[in-house]
Amino acid sequence: MADVEQNAAGNGSDAVNGTAGRFVSSAEGIALAYGSLLLMALLPIFFGALKSVGCSKSKVNSLSYDLQSVWKTVRRQNTSLQSIFSQEYINLLLSMYFFVLGVLALSHTMSPFMCRVFPANVPNKQYQLLFTQGSGESKEEIVNYEFDTKDLICLGISSVVGVWYVLKKHWIANNLFGLAFALNGVELLHLNNVSTGCILLGGLFVYDVFWVFGTNVMVTVAKSFEAPIKLVFPQDLLEKGLDARNFAMLGLGDIVIPGIFIALLLRFDVSLKKNTRTYFYTSFLAYIFGLGLTIFIMHTFKHAQPALLYLVPACVGFPVLLALFKGELTEMFR
């Protein structure tokens, strides 16, 4: 998965752009950037896990598939595309792709909030989008989507953010899309059991370590491709304001992958019917510890780190040890 990465040694994004005159960020700016990344990572995990409890199986369909397509497209195709097409055309293709997915994901994220603030005196009209194939008895539904005025407002606001992202590639627009992807991913991507989650995290643990320490592919992708597959925050925000360019970054995979495991543990807590959230809070705190350790080591050694190297042992180890201590290990892996 993508790594937590500092744009350049010496804290200067100019080294990435190949220009002279590096800007050294202040200690306060670096602390603000890392703290903001940590907070932005925690929000989709916490709220996505809570929403996953009430998320029915029928809802885990189209958006879940789209999110999986995002990871596959970016992870498996980036190097081959880069060898055939120029980076400019690849970035244009990704921009259009993520514009569509980002608008849908952000609209879905805003929907619960819109339901609460939508004025009661404004009529909420119902609409239906229906596509069929054939005629008569052989007619078959291809698309049957029902929506209302609130959904249209969410879609309109999300489209404005999407246009802002496509035209400006501003880091705030990038983060809005990234947070929407992460929140929907944690909510909609469900693991069946803890054993499956351990196997998944263990495999991605090896994958992440190899591609970050064994090659430069992860770092190259994180820096080269302009797509909301990462959260970024400028380390020079205090000095340069919203036009800051020296970013610290965190890949969405390092949020979604541990996040769906943490959401699974929350559903396990619910299944125990003990009115406690012990495993959820344990794994959530373990994630904070693991990501904090990642940032500390990255900042100390000034080198990109595979976040799953620290997150997987923490998020899996602490809940398993707790289950062993409470005598619920068998129930957890059943």
Side-chain angles (χ1 to χ4, degrees):
M1 294 293 102
D3 55 297
V4 179
E5 205 269 329
Q6 191 173 1
N7 263 358
N11 303 331
S13 61
D14 292 329
V16 177
N17 299 328
T19 58
R22 296 178 179 176
F23 178 83
V24 179
S25 303
S26 64
E28 294 81 3
I30 295 174
L32 176 62
Y34 290 153
S36 299
L37 283 180
L38 180 60
L39 178 62
M40 286 191 292
L42 295 178
L43 290 176
I45 292 179
F46 186 84
F47 291 106
L50 293 178
K51 294 179 70 175
S52 74
V53 175
C55 185
S56 63
K57 290 292 183 180
S58 61
K59 193 177 179 181
V60 188
N61 286 320
S62 59
L63 188 53
S64 169
Y65 177 81
D66 286 340
L67 287 168
Q68 294 180 57
S69 299
V70 171
W71 314 136
K72 292 178 181 178
T73 300
V74 176
R75 301 297 182 201
R76 295 168 53 186
Q77 302 298 329
N78 58 74
T79 53
S80 59
L81 287 174
Q82 193 172 18
S83 64
I84 300 174
F85 303 102
S86 67
Q87 181 180 320
E88 179 183 356
Y89 290 110
I90 296 175
N91 283 332
L92 179 61
L93 175 63
L94 289 177
S95 295
M96 295 298 101
Y97 182 66
F98 281 102
F99 169 79
V100 176
L101 291 183
V103 167
L104 294 176
L106 187 58
S107 179
H108 179 264
T109 303
M110 293 174 55
S111 182
F113 175 76
M114 183 60 64
C115 291
R116 296 180 180 179
V117 301
F118 191 78
N121 58 343
V122 176
N124 185 31
K125 297 182 179 180
Q126 302 295 318
Y127 303 93
Q128 184 179 24
L129 184 64
L130 179 62
F131 286 97
T132 60
Q133 179 179 340
S135 60
E137 296 181 356
S138 61
K139 182 181 292 187
E140 180 183 359
E141 287 188 1
I142 304 300
V143 176
N144 187 359
Y145 182 69
E146 297 181 355
F147 55 98
D148 54 26
T149 304
K150 292 179 289 187
D151 295 324
L152 289 178
I153 295 175
C154 292
L155 189 63
I157 297 174
S158 302
S159 299
V160 172
V161 176
V163 172
W164 182 26
Y165 169 76
V166 170
L167 295 180
K168 299 296 183 180
K169 294 295 189 299
H170 198 277
W171 60 272
I172 295 180
N174 174 91
N175 287 348
L176 289 175
F177 275 176
L179 288 171
F181 283 138
L183 178 62
N184 284 286
V186 175
E187 176 189 355
L188 300 177
L189 299 177
H190 285 197
L191 295 171
N192 292 329
N193 52 60
V194 174
S195 299
T196 303
C198 291
I199 294 172
L200 173 67
L201 265 66
L204 292 175
F205 170 89
V206 177
Y207 175 93
D208 206 22
V209 172
F210 172 77
W211 285 104
V212 174
F213 287 149
T215 71
N216 64 348
V217 172
M218 285 293 192
V219 178
T220 301
V221 170
K223 290 180 179 180
S224 301
F225 290 96
E226 298 176 350
I229 58 173
K230 57 186 179 291
L231 299 179
V232 299
F233 199 90
Q235 302 179 29
D236 52 346
L237 178 67
L238 298 179
E239 294 81 10
K240 297 186 177 181
L242 296 180
D243 294 326
R245 303 291 299 174
N246 179 23
F247 297 107
M249 61 183 73
L250 175 66
L252 293 189
D254 301 323
I255 301 173
V256 175
I257 299 304
I260 60 178
F261 185 77
I262 294 173
L264 171 65
L265 292 179
L266 175 58
R267 297 194 297 273
F268 173 65
D269 278 324
V270 174
S271 70
L272 293 176
K273 299 179 180 179
K274 294 183 178 180
N275 200 28
T276 61
R277 301 292 182 265
T278 308
Y279 293 103
F280 169 66
Y281 290 126
T282 300
S283 58
F284 190 74
L285 292 175
Y287 181 88
I288 297 175
F289 169 77
L291 188 56
L293 181 62
T294 305
I295 293 174
F296 173 77
I297 294 177
M298 181 201 67
H299 183 71
T300 300
F301 293 98
K302 308 298 182 186
H303 190 278
Q305 296 294 314
L308 294 184
L309 173 63
Y310 312 98
L311 292 173
V312 170
C315 293
V316 174
F318 283 103
V320 168
L321 289 176
L322 177 62
L324 184 63
F325 175 77
K326 298 178 66 176
E328 296 176 341
L329 191 62
T330 303
E331 293 179 79
M332 173 179 282
F333 284 91
R334 184 175 299 167

